Amino acid sequence: MILCLFSGLNLSAQNAAGDTLVLSKDSLVRIPPQAVADSTDQDTAVVITQEERIAMISPAKSLFAANVDYNADSIIMIGTSEVEMFGNASVVYGETDLKAYYIWMNLDSSLIYARGRLDSTNTLIETPEFTDDGTTYKQEELTYNYNTGKALIKNVVTEQGEGFVTSETTKRINDDAFCMKNGEYTTCSNHEHPHFYLKMTKAKVRPGKNIVTGPAYMVMEDVPIYPLFIPFGFFPFTKSYSSGFVMPSYGEENNRGFYLRDGGYYFALNDYFDLSTTGDIYSKGSWALRGRSNYRLKYRFNGSVNVSYINNVVGEKALPGDYSATKDFSIRWTHSQDSKAAAYSNFSASVDFTSTSFEKNSIGVESAVYNPNYLSRNQKSSSVSYSRTFPGTPFSMSSTLLASQNAADSSLNLTLPQLNLNMSRIYPFKRKTKIGKDRWYEKIGMSYSATLSNSVTDKQNAILNGDPSVHWRNGVRHSIPVSTSFNVLKNISISPSVSYTERWYTESIDKTVDTLDNMTTRVLTDTTSGFYRVYDYSASVSASTKLYGFYTPFRKLFGNKVDQIRHVMTPSVSLSYRPDFGQEKWGYYDTYTEYSAATDEWLTREYSHFQGSLYGTPGSGKYGAASFSVGNNVEMKVRNDADTTGGNAFKKIKLIESLNFATSYNMAIDSMRWSDISVRGRTKLFKGLSINAGATFDPYVTTVNSNGRVIRINQTYWERDRSIGKLKNLTLSTGYSFNNEKLKSFLKGFSGGSDEAAEVPEGADEEKPSDGKSKSDSKYDEDGYLQFKIPWNVSFSYSYSLRGAYDKELDDFKYTGVSNFRFNGSLTLTDKWSMNFSSGYDFNRNEITSTNLSINRNLHCWSMSFNAVPFGRYKTYNFTIHVNSSMLQDLKYEKRSSPWDNPGWNQ
């Protein structure tokens, strides 16, 4: 007898005569098949629980080592050993989970069979999904033995690493391996119809570990590429942190020959840090070694270290004019401490220390020339610092190691170390218990800082090679500023201050003159070691206020559009005094007399005993100056046409953001008391376009004396021709960024429209076009049609500088201008196509500056890129098509040139 059980429905089955057997509450009743189809009475149904189903199975006959949990919309039990399940069927046994539309299971033999079903369009749906030990497999059909773990699978799909593996016929031989026939491996997410795949005639898959394949070939867009054939392949997979080889790239250069680049080994040392060692080798003798490590300790610190050494060989030794050999190195280290690690201390590092020509001679320099700022870096700085604050006190300290490199002249400045002790501003006269307003003396504040440094500046080779002529400078500087501020007449702010500075040095110099003959002298410098205390002080007081002016323009000229113009002027005056520390009583300065052949006379020269010291020398000559500055700001209040409330809404427009004038008058000297006059200004022509300008004027006349020397005389240009001075230099810069959204807003404003979107009340239904798309959908316009968008962005900057030098022949200043124009932009033609470019023009050289062009195409699981520097010293290009997945990063086509092949690159 066959018994049919339906969960939640009539439980029925058919006997050999075609009758249906229904298990009711009272008895087993025969019902014709049609009656079963028409019956909707559910009162006669008996729900059998999972425990009851298991109890119906004979324990003696079951080969399962654990309980089997199975369920479905419809379950048919054939005797006590076979089960058929239909609709949302699932079987859970141990760590395995099988889901499918149809499942047949034999409890005696531990066999199970599963398949999907066809829908009305003859499409296979609800296919079996088998999960074992966290790995999921999808297939059309599955026959599986729970006892042996072996299976026969048809059209299986499983995800391994970053890719998918499919196969027509697959045999699972044990828990750890699958044998496949006519399999495919792809990293394309559309694995049902991938853009590319590796066709494997036969393969063995170890889930989560690797794939070993026999003969295989590439298939792209369903077209077999038989030349891309491999006799065997090995694809490792792992979910754990592991070591492995780094495959090199290969190519050829005219000057350095064939190469293997960026090959090596990656060491997965532990969970806290790793190590990657790679190298390059060229057939003509060039080579490079690199080490890179990243480290992290959660809630404590993280950082990275990169060390590189390169040996570049170009040309042949037999041709000395074409041969060159250079050795360069680079050390880059970054370290940052987590804020949770220590509340009152911090350690950080930012080191970028390289040999002078490292950027130029780097083996892979062609990958850097696409960044115009990379090779133009003249300044590089490095620092390693430790700081600590002392809670409950105003004191803090820091220790820093500093290095600054200048690639233009190969100079290097090292500070090893620099120690700082600081006291934040305190108010020593402030009452502990405040009653009423602060008195004037309570506002007196002071701070303190001390700095100890040991520094050297010289050529990089001399310092690194330990040249004994390299002179290290050291010293200690103490600084104590005292200041306060208060208001008089309510609106005038007065700020007096006093500053004391003291320096400690360990050496001083003395200069003497050695007379070789009556007409020739030589200055000798002697250095004396000891402890020297050098101090100075100064005092100043400043006053500033703000003046407001309002102007209502003529209505006939501006109408009601302009309401008012406001001018804010900020004048400031300060008085500063410093004694003459060049007097003999201080002992900081001395003199010597030498013969000058140019003027045929004996001249007295003044020098400082601490000339060239780390923190300088107190100034020579009395200084008592009055400084003047005036800041200006002009704004206009106009009616806001975008306001739709009907009220008197206005908005401010800045006509002049700032316009500042500054100069000073030294009352302590007897001639040329006025300093240079500086003018600085900034304004906006319209939104996004700002202009910055600055100029410096010399108020005193420049001329030529009787000896033919260019000198300034104690006569102002105002006295001579009523002008403020002669222009010494002028700078002008501007920049603007423009894109399609700004253009759209501009055109709307120009046509009188508003670029502000109409607000839609919350919860209100939006009007939808016939296709059901909302008008607010960014892909559709206000009429519901798909918008055509090509996002783009263009930025430009322009700089101009003018410098003057006195020309004897013209008897006037001669000016030289330097101007540069730079622009860059991006263009997104489609969701898949993008383009970036940057270039510029040097108007002095009449040539285009460094130019870069890049085009990128997203090919779904592939990417195509083209980068080029089309002309100039760094001319190069790079065309690449590669798979996006890191697993197949070596599956690519690459064509490139190298700047090393350009004439004169290594000179």
Side-chain angles (χ1 to χ4, degrees):
M1 182 180 66
I2 303 176
L3 180 66
C4 175
L5 305 177
F6 287 81
S7 175
L9 298 174
N10 287 332
L11 307 182
S12 61
Q14 291 183 344
N15 59 9
D19 296 333
T20 300
L21 303 181
V22 178
L23 184 62
S24 67
K25 295 181 180 179
D26 302 324
S27 63
L28 192 62
V29 182
R30 294 181 183 272
I31 301 177
Q34 185 61 35
V36 175
D38 297 336
S39 175
T40 60
D41 182 16
Q42 298 184 19
D43 292 336
T44 60
V46 175
V47 178
I48 298 179
T49 65
Q50 175 72 9
E51 290 77 7
E52 292 172 329
R53 289 201 296 266
I54 296 175
M56 297 175 66
I57 304 172
S58 174
K61 294 182 179 181
S62 177
L63 297 178
F64 289 92
N67 289 338
V68 181
D69 185 5
Y70 57 93
N71 207 341
D73 293 342
S74 302
I75 301 176
I76 299 177
M77 298 192 64
I78 306 173
T80 60
S81 62
E82 295 185 33
V83 180
E84 283 189 296
M85 290 167 274
F86 298 87
N88 297 320
S90 68
V91 176
V92 178
Y93 175 69
E95 296 183 356
T96 62
D97 184 4
L98 175 62
K99 297 177 181 179
Y101 167 74
Y102 171 79
I103 298 178
W104 172 87
M105 181 170 57
N106 189 307
L107 302 176
D108 289 340
S109 62
S110 300
L111 285 178
I112 192 167
Y113 169 80
R115 59 174 172 79
R117 71 181 180 91
L118 298 176
D119 63 6
S120 58
T121 62
N122 208 32
T123 301
L124 187 64
I125 60 174
E126 298 186 50
T127 55
E129 184 176 298
F130 182 71
T131 303
D132 185 14
D133 195 21
T135 303
T136 301
Y137 309 88
K138 293 183 179 180
Q139 53 269 311
E140 289 184 9
E141 295 182 9
L142 168 68
T143 303
Y144 180 66
N145 189 311
Y146 274 106
N147 188 32
T148 63
K150 296 181 179 181
L152 185 63
I153 309 171
K154 181 179 179 182
N155 292 334
V156 66
V157 178
T158 180
E159 185 174 359
Q160 295 294 328
E162 298 180 21
F164 296 89
V165 179
T166 64
S167 174
E168 292 181 3
T169 304
T170 303
K171 179 184 289 186
R172 175 173 174 169
I173 55 179
N174 52 49
D175 292 341
D176 196 38
F178 292 81
C179 291
M180 294 184 171
K181 181 179 180 182
N182 293 328
E184 300 174 1
Y185 177 71
T186 181
T187 57
C188 183
S189 59
N190 184 19
H191 57 80
E192 294 182 357
H193 193 183
H195 294 87
F196 83 98
Y197 58 88
L198 190 66
K199 187 67 174 180
M200 303 177 293
T201 57
K202 54 183 179 180
K204 184 175 182 179
V205 179
R206 300 174 65 198
K209 296 180 179 179
N210 54 57
I211 296 178
V212 180
T213 175
Y217 57 90
M218 182 65 67
V219 178
M220 299 185 66
E221 296 293 353
D222 297 330
V223 178
I225 313 296
Y226 294 111
L228 297 181
F229 165 83
I230 56 174
F232 64 90
F234 179 79
F235 302 92
F237 306 111
T238 179
K239 296 180 181 179
S240 62
Y241 181 46
S242 59
S243 305
F245 288 97
V246 179
M247 298 300 296
S249 60
Y250 62 91
E252 179 188 9
E253 292 180 9
N254 292 337
N255 285 333
R256 296 185 293 185
F258 295 97
Y259 64 79
L260 291 175
R261 184 186 297 170
D262 295 323
Y265 196 83
Y266 176 80
F267 297 91
L269 300 176
N270 54 40
D271 293 338
Y272 305 108
F273 71 100
D274 64 358
L275 175 63
S276 174
T277 57
T278 58
D280 312 316
I281 185 169
Y282 285 72
S283 60
K284 294 187 178 180
S286 298
W287 55 272
L289 291 175
R290 283 180 291 273
R292 180 177 67 253
S293 178
N294 299 289
Y295 58 88
R296 176 184 293 272
L297 186 58
K298 196 172 183 180
Y299 305 125
R300 298 295 298 275
F301 55 80
N302 66 85
S304 64
V305 180
N306 289 270
V307 180
S308 301
Y309 183 85
I310 60 177
N311 179 58
N312 266 314
V313 178
V314 180
E316 301 291 340
K317 290 186 177 180
L319 303 172
D322 296 331
Y323 178 80
S324 67
T326 59
K327 293 179 173 61
D328 291 279
F329 69 91
S330 169
I331 300 174
R332 290 185 170 94
W333 175 35
T334 61
H335 178 93
S336 60
Q337 179 178 300
D338 195 295
S339 58
K340 303 180 184 66
Y344 305 110
S345 62
N346 182 67
F347 177 79
S348 63
S350 177
V351 175
D352 184 6
F353 190 82
T354 67
S355 55
T356 304
S357 57
F358 178 82
E359 276 82 5
K360 172 188 169 184
N361 294 329
S362 178
I363 291 279
V365 72
E366 62 268 18
S367 62
V369 297
Y370 304 120
N371 181 359
N373 298 323
Y374 186 80
L375 291 174
S376 61
R377 290 195 311 164
N378 286 330
Q379 293 286 344
K380 289 186 292 246
S381 60
S382 305
S383 65
V384 179
S385 62
Y386 172 80
S387 62
R388 180 175 179 82
T389 59
F390 300 93
T393 72
F395 292 96
S396 64
M397 58 84 65
S398 65
S399 176
T400 309
L401 308 179
L402 298 169
S404 177
Q405 296 174 269
N406 189 328
D409 58 4
S410 301
S411 63
L412 173 64
N413 175 265
L414 289 179
T415 302
L416 306 173
Q418 178 175 292
L419 302 177
N420 297 278
L421 176 65
N422 296 283
M423 183 187 74
S424 60
R425 190 177 179 86
I426 62 173
Y427 297 88
F429 305 109
K430 187 178 285 291
R431 292 169 292 175
K432 294 183 179 180
T433 303
K434 181 179 178 180
I435 302 176
K437 295 182 178 180
D438 288 336
R439 300 186 175 99
W440 67 270
Y441 57 83
E442 291 185 278
K443 297 181 181 179
I444 298 176
M446 65 175 294
S447 59
Y448 167 78
S449 65
T451 303
L452 181 151
S453 289
N454 181 45
S455 178
V456 63
T457 300
D458 213 315
K459 294 297 183 181
Q460 180 171 293
N461 289 337
I463 296 177
L464 298 181
N465 294 332
D467 192 331
S469 65
V470 172
H471 179 66
W472 287 80
R473 301 178 300 163
N474 46 61
V476 180
R477 179 180 60 190
H478 306 269
S479 178
I480 304 176
V482 180
S483 64
T484 186
S485 63
F486 53 87
N487 288 348
V488 296
L489 301 177
K490 292 185 178 181
N491 298 319
I492 300 177
S493 176
I494 306 296
S495 300
S497 64
V498 176
S499 178
Y500 175 83
T501 302
E502 183 170 308
R503 307 162 185 85
W504 295 347
Y505 294 134
T506 57
E507 59 183 29
S508 69
I509 62 172
D510 292 296
K511 292 188 176 183
T512 57
V513 176
D514 183 16
T515 303
L516 301 179
D517 52 49
N518 292 334
M519 304 298 293
T520 306
T521 58
R522 180 177 60 180
V523 179
L524 303 177
T525 301
D526 296 326
T527 301
T528 304
S529 298
F531 176 79
Y532 301 92
R533 176 173 169 263
V534 182
Y535 66 91
D536 65 337
Y537 52 85
S538 63
S540 67
V541 60
S542 64
S544 64
T545 188
K546 286 184 180 292
L547 303 176
Y548 296 87
F550 298 91
Y551 171 69
T552 302
F554 295 105
R555 296 300 180 189
K556 292 183 179 180
L557 181 62
F558 294 98
N560 293 326
K561 181 71 174 177
V562 179
D563 181 70
Q564 201 173 60
I565 296 176
R566 186 184 74 169
H567 176 204
V568 182
M569 181 182 297
T570 308
S572 176
V573 179
S574 65
L575 299 175
S576 303
Y577 172 77
R578 186 199 67 213
D580 181 9
F581 291 98
Q583 294 179 351
E584 184 178 356
K585 66 177 182 178
W586 301 103
Y588 301 153
Y589 289 84
D590 207 338
T591 59
Y592 64 89
T593 303
E594 67 172 345
Y595 176 77
S596 173
T599 59
D600 191 22
E601 57 183 342
W602 289 84
L603 301 176
T604 300
R605 310 285 192 187
E606 185 183 56
Y607 74 96
S608 170
H609 290 293
F610 307 99
Q611 178 181 321
S613 296
L614 191 61
Y615 298 116
T617 308
S620 175
K622 184 183 293 185
Y623 181 80
S627 300
F628 309 93
S629 66
V630 178
N632 297 272
N633 172 271
V634 181
E635 295 179 340
M636 181 170 63
K637 187 165 68 172
V638 300
R639 191 175 302 278
N640 186 4
D641 293 336
D643 184 82
T644 59
T645 62
N648 295 325
F650 296 91
K651 63 180 180 180
K652 293 181 181 179
I653 298 177
K654 293 183 179 181
L655 301 179
I656 300 177
E657 289 192 1
S658 67
L659 181 59
N660 303 322
F661 302 87
T663 188
S664 64
Y665 183 78
N666 190 352
M667 299 172 289
I669 57 179
D670 57 2
S671 63
M672 292 189 287
R673 295 178 173 179
W674 289 101
S675 67
D676 290 347
I677 302 171
S678 66
V679 182
R680 297 288 182 270
R682 183 178 70 253
T683 187
K684 286 184 178 180
L685 295 183
F686 51 86
K687 186 176 181 179
L689 178 62
S690 58
I691 298 178
N692 296 274
T696 304
F697 297 87
D698 187 349
Y700 290 97
V701 175
T702 302
T703 186
V704 180
N705 66 3
S706 58
N707 295 324
R709 296 173 57 194
V710 177
I711 60 172
R712 297 168 70 228
I713 61 176
N714 191 27
Q715 181 186 14
T716 64
Y717 283 100
W718 181 260
E719 294 172 339
R720 195 181 76 170
D721 50 23
R722 289 298 185 267
S723 64
I724 64 171
K726 184 64 67 172
L727 179 67
K728 293 179 64 176
N729 59 69
L730 171 71
T731 59
L732 175 69
S733 65
T734 184
Y736 189 68
S737 179
F738 204 57
N739 56 37
N740 53 312
E741 294 298 331
K742 286 187 178 180
L743 178 61
K744 181 180 178 181
S745 177
F746 173 77
L747 294 177
K748 281 190 175 183
F750 184 77
S751 61
S754 174
D755 57 355
E756 296 183 2
E759 295 184 1
V760 179
E762 185 177 355
D765 293 333
E766 296 175 325
E767 184 182 353
K768 296 184 178 180
S770 58
D771 61 355
K773 293 292 185 179
S774 170
K775 284 185 178 182
S776 63
D777 194 329
S778 60
K779 294 183 179 180
Y780 298 86
D781 62 16
E782 59 184 6
D783 296 321
Y785 293 100
L786 186 66
Q787 295 191 43
F788 178 72
K789 283 188 176 182
I790 301 181
W792 54 268
N793 177 76
V794 176
S795 301
F796 71 86
S797 62
Y798 175 79
S799 63
Y800 177 80
S801 62
L802 187 69
R803 297 188 179 276
Y806 192 82
D807 190 295
K808 295 181 181 180
E809 297 181 359
L810 296 176
D811 193 20
D812 201 352
F813 277 79
K814 184 177 181 179
Y815 296 93
T816 303
V818 177
S819 58
N820 290 279
F821 178 77
R822 291 288 305 174
F823 64 91
N824 61 78
S826 62
L827 176 66
T828 304
L829 297 173
T830 67
D831 292 340
K832 307 295 183 181
W833 281 98
S834 64
M835 181 174 67
N836 296 274
F837 59 89
S838 65
S839 186
Y841 191 81
D842 189 325
F843 291 94
N844 294 84
R845 298 182 178 181
N846 290 322
E847 64 181 21
I848 298 176
T849 57
S850 178
T851 301
N852 178 37
L853 173 67
S854 66
I855 301 174
N856 298 279
R857 173 71 164 96
N858 185 352
L859 301 171
H860 189 253
C861 48
W862 291 69
S863 290
M864 179 183 70
S865 64
F866 175 76
N867 293 275
V869 176
F871 40 76
R873 183 182 182 185
Y874 306 122
K875 181 174 66 175
T876 185
Y877 73 89
N878 182 8
F879 176 76
T880 305
I881 299 178
H882 63 91
V883 177
N884 293 335
S885 171
S886 60
M887 284 295 302
L888 300 178
Q889 61 182 344
D890 297 313
L891 185 59
K892 62 183 177 180
Y893 172 79
E894 189 174 38
K895 183 68 176 178
R896 67 169 64 203
S897 66
S898 173
W900 280 88
D901 294 335
N902 298 332
W905 167 265
N906 59 320
Q907 295 178 359

